[in-house]
Amino acid sequence: MAGIVLNVPYGSLAIPPAVQKRLAIGQDRLRGEHWRLCDPFLLALASEAAQGGPKRGPWPLVAFPFSPLVADPLGLVAMELGQAEEPGPAILASDTQGKDLPQWSEPDRLFLLDRTVAPYARELEKECLEQLGRENLVALVTLRSFGTDPQPHERDRRRPRPQITLGSSDDHTPDGLTVLAGHIFRTLGFWPQLNWPLSGAVVPRGLAGQPRLKALGLCLRRDLYLDEKTGRQKETREAVVRVLRTFFSLLGQEMDRVAQIRLRRAFPPKRPSSVIKAPNPAVEV
């Protein structure tokens, strides 16, 4: 009755050689930018959790295969850096330290987006459409991460930060979805917050008019699974995988229940007639 599609837009460090040459970024600067912008550890966690368990899953997962320094597939980083006003594919004009990145001509920019973002967007749309074709209700869950302490480029300096951030969209995230997600994480012993320190939930532009497709942002504080000083994974990563798997399973179960209620409301059972019908006359042979 309900389906889930997982989306990891900022989990890769890959940069094509031609783009790497054009960027002309030293290794130290590149490592710093990737630490602030990307999280391959989160991608690995999500990939394991997406396999599901004996009762629920697996869930389809789509990941953008390039670094956001190549292209920002959703435009969320560009918005956070003040380089865009709304979500959408973008090429970053400067890095997290405010240093300029190479400017691409319009034909080169369109070519770069077509070769990197377009295939990812098509795959994401395909997975969502396949789920919508089979299920009554589908949630697109976009996973990101954030540091325990605010990074220099982040505007929100409040501390301490929550362990879990739930991102929402006015158009695609019903209140019940964020309330449910928050309840699940609180029950599991975590501190969730809505749209802080990260915010937003997105759906592919081609599916913006699909009322049965809902969107949720799910962002994890990195110290849950990483030593942020050394960049090494903690032993707790396996527990985080189990938490994610449990969350997806419980989310799917509750969405099943909601989908069943909607179906019953749309097609209520016929009430028994109060008219007493005469018995059928005997058929003579």
Side-chain angles (χ1 to χ4, degrees):
M1 297 296 293
I4 297 175
V5 177
L6 307 179
N7 174 29
V8 184
Y10 305 111
S12 175
L13 310 181
I15 300 178
V19 178
Q20 174 82 53
K21 183 177 180 181
R22 179 72 180 270
L23 289 174
I25 295 178
Q27 289 301 310
D28 288 343
R29 179 184 170 193
L30 183 61
R31 280 193 291 268
E33 290 300 310
H34 276 165
W35 174 254
R36 290 183 284 271
L37 295 176
C38 313
D39 194 344
F41 303 104
L42 177 65
L43 176 56
L45 294 176
S47 298
E48 289 185 41
Q51 300 305 310
K55 294 184 179 180
R56 302 287 297 196
W59 299 281
L61 183 148
V62 179
F64 184 58
F66 297 102
S67 162
L69 294 174
V70 177
D72 182 352
L74 301 181
L76 298 179
V77 171
M79 290 177 63
E80 290 156 10
L81 293 177
Q83 299 175 25
E85 296 182 356
E86 59 184 21
I91 304 293
L92 298 182
S94 59
D95 63 17
T96 60
Q97 297 178 306
K99 296 181 180 179
D100 290 339
L101 295 171
Q103 300 298 305
W104 300 85
S105 67
E106 186 62 13
D108 287 346
R109 189 184 75 85
L110 294 176
F111 177 81
L112 190 57
L113 291 175
D114 182 67
R115 291 300 182 93
T116 59
V117 177
Y120 157 79
R122 285 194 295 268
E123 183 182 1
L124 189 59
E125 187 169 326
K126 170 179 170 291
E127 291 292 350
C128 290
L129 285 173
E130 287 184 357
Q131 290 289 313
L132 287 168
R134 292 193 297 265
E135 312 292 355
N136 185 267
L137 196 63
V138 177
L140 174 59
V141 181
T142 298
L143 290 98
R144 301 181 64 191
S145 68
F146 58 92
T148 304
D149 297 316
Q151 298 291 335
H153 69 281
E154 294 178 311
R155 301 172 188 175
D156 194 322
R157 315 301 298 176
R158 288 177 291 172
R159 295 182 59 196
R161 290 177 144 192
Q163 295 169 305
I164 305 289
T165 291
L166 302 171
S168 67
S169 160
D170 293 338
D171 298 327
H172 303 288
T173 313
D175 291 341
L177 181 57
T178 54
V179 170
L180 168 64
H183 175 72
I184 292 173
F185 280 114
R186 283 192 295 273
T187 301
L188 294 173
F190 292 89
W191 170 24
Q193 283 285 349
L194 180 63
N195 290 320
W196 171 55
L198 301 179
S199 63
V202 295
V203 301
R205 287 182 175 179
L207 301 180
Q210 290 281 352
R212 294 186 294 116
L213 179 63
K214 309 304 179 183
L216 178 70
L218 174 56
C219 312
L220 308 184
R221 200 174 70 194
R222 288 183 174 182
D223 69 324
L224 293 174
Y225 53 91
L226 276 182
D227 183 325
E228 295 177 273
K229 293 183 178 180
T230 65
R232 296 178 179 176
Q233 296 186 81
K234 294 181 176 179
E235 294 180 357
T236 53
R237 72 173 304 279
E238 297 302 326
V240 174
V241 170
R242 291 194 296 271
V243 166
L244 288 175
R245 191 178 293 137
T246 300
F247 171 74
F248 299 143
S249 181
L250 293 175
L251 178 64
Q253 290 177 25
E254 184 61 20
M255 288 176 58
D256 279 345
R257 189 184 69 83
V258 171
Q260 290 170 0
I261 293 174
R262 289 187 174 188
L263 194 61
R264 286 197 297 267
R265 287 176 179 173
F267 302 99
K270 292 183 178 180
R271 294 182 178 179
S273 175
S274 60
V275 177
I276 300 176
K277 297 182 179 180
N280 291 331
V283 179
E284 295 183 2
V285 179

